[in-house]
Amino acid sequence: MASCQNWKPVILIMGVYFLMAVMNILFKKVLDEGMNQLVITTYRLTAAAVFLGPIAYFCERRSGNKLTTPILCQLFFSALIGATITQSLFLIGMKYTSAVFSTAFANLVPVTTFLLALLLRQESVNLRSRGGMVEVLGSLICIGGVVLLILYRGIPLNKATHSGKSSYNAKDQGVEVVDNSPQRWILGSTFLLISIVCWSGWFLIQARIGKRYPCKYSSTAFMSFFGAIQSAILCFAVKRDITIWIVRGKLEILTVLFAGIFGSGLCYVGMSWCVQQRGPVFTSAFSPLVQIFIISLDLAFFHEQIYLGSVIGSMLVICGLYVLLWGKAKGEADDTTKPTLVENPNGSSAVGAA
């Protein structure tokens, strides 16, 4: 019975990351068919707000935490960074590249969050300890993997069953697109990298908000609501064509509902439960499964072209991620077992465990 309880978080987090893999593949398909990324973000966040709103009301209405004006302002800014900007840039980068490639950048989130926390002095590293040295090594490996992903595409490892050309309209994005494929790849990598940095910054912002307003369902529902409004305003400012808001076909409807209900709703609840049960390191350690699931689904059903540079760079990023997580766990374990001086009644000092 105890073994079944231990396996529950493992099975749940694998299911969560499988749903996220399916969501990313659906995003890539509707983007290739010409759906605007800001429209996707708006509809996704709207579906998430509608889905999480009733859950937040029934689960957290008696929590006793007051939603003040400063907290609402922080949630609005959090939505701008973590929802509107991050998701829009990530989808643009995915459209320029591929679902497999963009997911490799998503594995960088723990690393970039760690580096941002160092720059903002929210976290420190003891370079004299083994754990601190391993954390730095893991970060360097991940950075090397990203450089390889951006600069080296390599030969295709499989034969695609389609031309690989999307029905992308550059005017929908408000940016000029070059026809040269390597330049397009680098441009997409730039969008992905900026989105990941914004996403990491959102984690630091959300950590501060969580201390003042720990209601995770309510804060996510408000963030989704604010993000939907921001994305809609930004979309109308960039593209004033009302026809882009028309959802055409079952695939676009399925993608929007799936992303809102599962991607921003149930997946968030599942990840939050896993963090409570086994901690953030356990939850982060399974994140490379998203890329593995995407590669498997792409090869089995969609036959997307996979390049050597993406495989090698992804392996480096994943290895660096695990090295960083191991070093972080090692550092936390060393801190808990660090000897401290304990004052005896006779005035002498003795060494004890913290």
Side-chain angles (χ1 to χ4, degrees):
M1 190 70 179
S3 61
C4 293
Q5 293 293 330
N6 293 332
W7 276 99
K8 278 185 179 180
V10 176
I11 296 173
L12 180 60
I13 198 63
M14 290 179 67
V16 165
Y17 285 133
F18 178 78
L19 292 175
M20 293 180 68
V22 174
M23 180 183 67
N24 279 284
I25 290 178
L26 290 174
F27 278 154
K28 178 60 177 175
K29 296 306 170 185
V30 296
L31 286 168
D32 285 346
E33 291 183 2
M35 193 173 183
N36 185 280
Q37 85 280 346
L38 286 170
V39 173
I40 297 175
T41 303
T42 303
Y43 284 150
R44 172 189 179 176
L45 293 173
T46 302
V50 172
F51 177 76
L52 290 174
I55 296 177
Y57 176 76
F58 288 108
C59 295
E60 297 174 341
R61 58 178 176 173
R62 298 178 181 177
S63 62
N65 296 290
K66 293 183 178 180
L67 189 63
T68 61
T69 301
I71 293 176
L72 281 174
C73 292
Q74 291 178 14
L75 287 172
F76 183 87
F77 183 72
S78 175
L80 180 64
I81 300 297
T84 304
I85 297 178
T86 297
Q87 293 185 22
S88 299
L89 292 179
F90 187 82
L91 289 175
I92 295 176
M94 180 186 289
K95 193 157 196 177
Y96 277 113
T97 56
S98 67
V100 175
F101 186 84
S102 59
T103 311
F105 274 82
N107 291 329
L108 277 173
V109 172
V111 180
T112 50
T113 304
F114 169 70
L115 295 176
L116 279 178
L118 285 179
L119 291 175
L120 297 175
R121 296 184 179 181
Q122 295 185 14
E123 192 160 340
S124 60
V125 176
N126 184 8
L127 295 178
R128 296 181 180 179
S129 67
R130 183 180 298 179
M133 294 176 64
V134 170
E135 287 182 67
V136 174
L137 176 63
S139 301
L140 293 176
I141 294 174
C142 283
I143 293 173
V146 171
V147 173
L148 186 63
L149 280 169
I150 296 174
L151 299 180
Y152 177 67
R153 190 174 185 181
I155 60 173
L157 299 179
N158 64 319
K159 188 176 181 180
T161 58
H162 55 83
S163 62
K165 296 179 180 180
S166 66
S167 58
Y168 173 69
N169 186 350
K171 295 180 180 179
D172 288 345
Q173 310 298 337
V175 295
E176 185 178 353
V177 182
V178 291
D179 295 330
N180 196 314
S181 184
Q183 293 176 336
R184 184 180 174 95
W185 199 262
I186 293 175
L187 187 59
S189 302
T190 304
F191 281 119
L192 289 171
L193 190 58
I194 297 173
S195 72
I196 295 306
V197 173
C198 291
W199 196 1
S200 299
W202 173 80
F203 275 108
L204 301 179
I205 296 171
Q206 197 65 20
R208 290 191 172 187
I209 295 176
K211 293 178 181 179
R212 300 183 61 185
Y213 189 71
C215 301
K216 54 182 179 294
Y217 299 114
S218 300
S219 62
T220 307
F222 275 109
M223 190 188 73
S224 300
F225 174 73
F226 289 141
I229 295 175
Q230 294 164 358
S231 300
I233 294 174
L234 183 60
C235 186
F236 277 116
V238 174
K239 183 72 175 179
R240 298 182 180 180
D241 185 4
I242 198 68
T243 59
I244 64 174
W245 291 94
I246 302 174
V247 180
R248 301 178 178 88
K250 296 180 180 179
L251 181 61
E252 293 185 359
I253 297 174
L254 174 65
T255 301
V256 169
L257 293 177
F258 189 93
I261 296 174
F262 290 97
S264 299
L266 294 178
C267 285
Y268 175 82
V269 175
M271 291 177 70
S272 300
W273 184 83
C274 288
V275 169
Q276 292 177 352
Q277 295 295 316
R278 301 289 290 271
V281 175
F282 169 86
T283 308
S284 301
F286 284 84
S287 60
L289 284 176
V290 178
Q291 190 172 11
I292 296 173
F293 286 142
I294 288 178
I295 293 175
S296 302
L297 292 171
D298 266 344
L299 290 175
F301 300 104
F302 303 106
H303 307 290
E304 289 276 350
Q305 205 158 54
I306 299 175
Y307 294 89
L308 178 62
S310 298
V311 174
I312 299 176
S314 299
M315 290 175 64
L316 283 175
V317 171
I318 292 173
C319 289
L321 171 63
Y322 281 123
V323 170
L324 173 67
L325 292 175
W326 183 83
K328 200 165 185 62
K330 178 69 176 174
E332 292 174 354
D334 291 341
D335 290 340
T336 57
T337 58
K338 186 177 180 180
T340 57
L341 291 177
V342 180
E343 191 75 18
N344 289 331
N346 58 9
S348 61
S349 297
V351 178

